[in-house]
Amino acid sequence: MSNYNINTKCVQGGYTPGNGEPRQIPIIQSTTFKYATSEDMGKLFDLEASGYFYTRLQNPTNDMVAAKICDMEGGTAAMLTSSGQAANFYAVFNIANCGDHVVASSTIYGGTYNLFHVTMRKMGIEFTFVSPDCTEEELNAAFQPNTKAVFGETIANPALTVLDIEKFAKAAHAHGVPLIVDNTFATPVNCRPFEWGCDIVTHSTTKYMDGHGAGVGGCIVDSGKFDWMAHKEKFPGLCTPDDSYHGITYAEKFGQGGAFITKCTAQLMRDFGSIQSPQNAFLLNLGLESLHVRMSRHCENALAVAKYLKAHPKISFVTYPGLEGDKYYSLTQKYMPSGTCGVVSFGFKGGRAAAEIFMKHLKLAAIETHVADARTCTLHPASTTHRQMNDQELAAAGITPDLVRFSCGIEDAADLIADIDQALAQV
Ligand SMILES: *Cc1c(COP(=O)(O)O)cnc(C)c1O
């Protein structure tokens, strides 16, 4: 599939049926797989042969869907996870351990911020958060001798900052570490971070990829471009023998293109078990088949809503990276010229109270802890997802108390605007 356009990869990537085989990907609803001899199975355990033995590690349905996302991103290997949280945890923990350090953008998703700032800190991994808008000098100053990765979001949820991928990749590579980018909001339809120097991409497939609010899931894709062996001393997990896998050295045995995902599957999935169910992978694939069609409608609707809000007297600010005049407009023209995402955020001249009244009066847009769905949904982060944060932390995450996140679905733009209009009339 790799020579086809992204639109074709969405529909047909990852699975090509042979003669008489099912047109749709089969759901392999089986925990285990049968072998003729113990020796045959032993080879799988030693990673001497590839194949399936237990769905906690790998399942054929999941692998077909991971192969599609891998193809869409232009990577060399990919794996599904049970959630976006699991994808980001695995992607970082695969190379950063107790005593290590990671540089991350400060405007990342609240769940990822908690994972890094609270839970992974308890595991002995330190994080330095930098503004995505920092200068190269500020970015370089954040690195330490024990830094193992740099992390950011293509378009941050919900701050809607846009990552200057080349700037972050350059700094990461100058310090001998990979750049990990969470590409959930842009999706590979609108941005392919590997084309700009990113090394590893993660996704919450729960969002646009699934697109129908049907299944929580995640994905990790490796570009195969990062030379682990050239930075052997930094990445002993990939470049020295793994005693729990009979002394295999991943970077030698599976090469630059396969080491990261093989280690992540063989060690982390084996030990933590955050596998996606094959049933959910099937649903995810249905979503992927129309992702390119939906993304253009999401973006079209969001732009119409952003323009309407921008001209409204009760609105104090509108943030939409695809809107001319937005702080990140020039970066989006570079990294995602065909569209950004369906999420618009805005604030009220009447502050937090006005935001609360507005939320109460929406009829078509539903209040949900969800985003990037075919149906329009909306959220007031300060009173929900980000309520753990104090005002200072909120500001660092790019969120004000009056900010409303509005995720435009694929309904008719005129109906969305009419709903917003009547709710604003109550403010
Ligand atoms: C939702 C989200 C996550 C977490 O994904 P889950 O599937 O909810 O675990 C991570 N990153 C971004 C950008 C998200 O929007």
Side-chain angles (χ1 to χ4, degrees):
M1 276 281 122
S2 46
N3 292 326
Y4 287 100
N5 191 280
I6 182 78
N7 296 344
T8 304
K9 291 178 180 179
C10 284
V11 186
Q12 295 211 26
Y15 172 62
T16 308
N19 226 7
E21 287 179 354
R23 187 66 192 97
Q24 186 50 279
I25 61 168
I27 302 172
I28 307 298
Q29 194 69 48
S30 183
T31 57
T32 191
F33 301 82
K34 175 186 173 280
Y35 287 91
T37 68
S38 301
E39 287 74 24
D40 287 347
M41 191 187 280
K43 285 187 188 135
L44 301 179
F45 273 93
D46 285 353
L47 302 180
E48 284 299 327
S50 67
Y52 300 94
F53 52 96
Y54 193 54
T55 284
R56 168 150 46 77
L57 283 99
Q58 272 185 292
N59 173 282
T61 309
N62 291 16
D63 283 355
M64 288 171 206
V65 181
K68 174 179 281 191
I69 298 172
C70 187
D71 202 9
M72 288 163 66
E73 288 285 7
T76 55
M79 65 196 280
L80 297 189
T81 58
S82 58
S83 66
Q85 287 297 109
N88 283 328
F89 172 60
Y90 281 21
V92 174
F93 196 62
N94 205 32
I95 46 177
N97 295 289
C98 184
D100 289 339
H101 170 261
V102 173
V103 176
S105 162
S106 60
T107 57
I108 52 176
Y109 172 67
T112 311
Y113 180 80
N114 264 331
L115 169 69
F116 290 174
H117 183 65
V118 180
T119 301
M120 290 186 79
R121 244 189 201 139
K122 284 183 195 159
M123 301 168 84
I125 302 166
E126 288 297 320
F127 289 82
T128 297
F129 294 96
V130 295
S131 162
D133 308 331
C134 65
T135 63
E136 283 191 38
E137 294 70 49
E138 287 165 337
L139 184 52
N140 285 318
F143 286 82
Q144 301 177 7
N146 59 343
T147 302
K148 297 299 168 74
V150 178
F151 183 94
E153 291 177 11
T154 319
I155 305 174
N157 173 14
L160 302 179
T161 57
V162 174
L163 194 75
D164 188 342
I165 303 171
E166 282 190 322
K167 177 177 81 182
F168 275 73
K170 187 178 160 202
H173 298 159
H175 292 87
V177 302
L179 171 65
I180 304 172
V181 170
D182 180 332
N183 195 30
T184 298
F185 264 29
T187 83
V189 170
N190 286 338
C191 180
R192 288 175 297 282
F194 294 158
E195 293 172 4
W196 304 99
C198 161
D199 302 286
I200 291 145
V201 154
T202 60
H203 283 282
S204 165
T205 61
T206 318
K207 312 296 165 53
Y208 290 116
M209 285 190 165
D210 171 299
H212 300 76
V216 171
C219 185
I220 307 171
V221 190
D222 182 11
S223 67
K225 287 184 192 155
F226 194 83
D227 188 355
W228 307 106
M229 287 306 261
H231 307 281
K232 237 177 153 148
E233 70 300 335
K234 277 192 196 293
F235 304 105
L238 285 158
C239 303
T240 59
D242 176 4
D243 291 338
S244 75
Y245 258 111
H246 310 277
I248 281 170
T249 299
Y250 295 100
E252 277 172 1
K253 192 159 174 71
F254 301 98
Q256 220 170 286
F260 188 87
I261 294 295
T262 305
K263 174 180 180 288
C264 207
T265 303
Q267 276 183 350
L268 302 188
M269 199 56 95
R270 176 196 63 189
D271 296 350
F272 292 109
S274 318
I275 196 81
Q276 187 165 141
S277 82
Q279 186 83 43
N280 277 8
F282 176 84
L283 293 171
L284 167 58
N285 187 57
L286 282 185
L288 290 170
E289 287 180 3
S290 64
L291 181 66
H292 55 303
V293 182
R294 287 184 287 108
M295 284 313 288
S296 69
R297 177 61 78 89
H298 281 295
C299 294
E300 202 180 292
N301 284 355
L303 187 60
V305 163
K307 282 182 176 165
Y308 164 83
L309 289 166
K310 188 88 187 164
H312 200 286
K314 290 182 185 172
I315 296 299
S316 58
F317 69 88
V318 178
T319 305
Y320 182 60
L323 184 68
E324 215 168 328
D326 187 89
K327 186 177 171 188
Y328 296 98
Y329 188 70
S330 61
L331 277 182
T332 66
Q333 293 309 101
K334 174 178 175 180
Y335 291 113
M336 43 200 104
S338 56
T340 54
C341 65
V343 183
V344 179
S345 66
F346 50 95
F348 296 80
K349 288 187 181 149
R352 185 182 190 123
E356 284 167 0
I357 294 166
F358 172 79
M359 295 295 285
K360 277 199 181 89
H361 289 92
L362 287 168
K363 292 182 175 129
L364 191 58
I367 297 175
E368 290 171 21
T369 317
H370 189 43
V371 72
D373 189 80
R375 291 146 297 206
T376 296
C377 52
T378 182
L379 189 78
H380 181 220
S383 58
T384 54
T385 46
H386 288 62
R387 61 185 299 135
Q388 316 288 349
M389 290 188 179
N390 61 36
D391 281 3
Q392 210 180 345
E393 286 170 327
L394 275 178
I399 293 158
T400 56
D402 65 328
L403 181 141
V404 164
R405 179 181 78 183
F406 199 86
S407 171
C408 297
I410 56 173
E411 303 94 337
D412 196 288
D415 291 333
L416 296 183
I417 290 170
D419 191 34
I420 293 170
D421 190 69
Q422 63 81 28
L424 273 172
Q426 309 291 328
V427 171

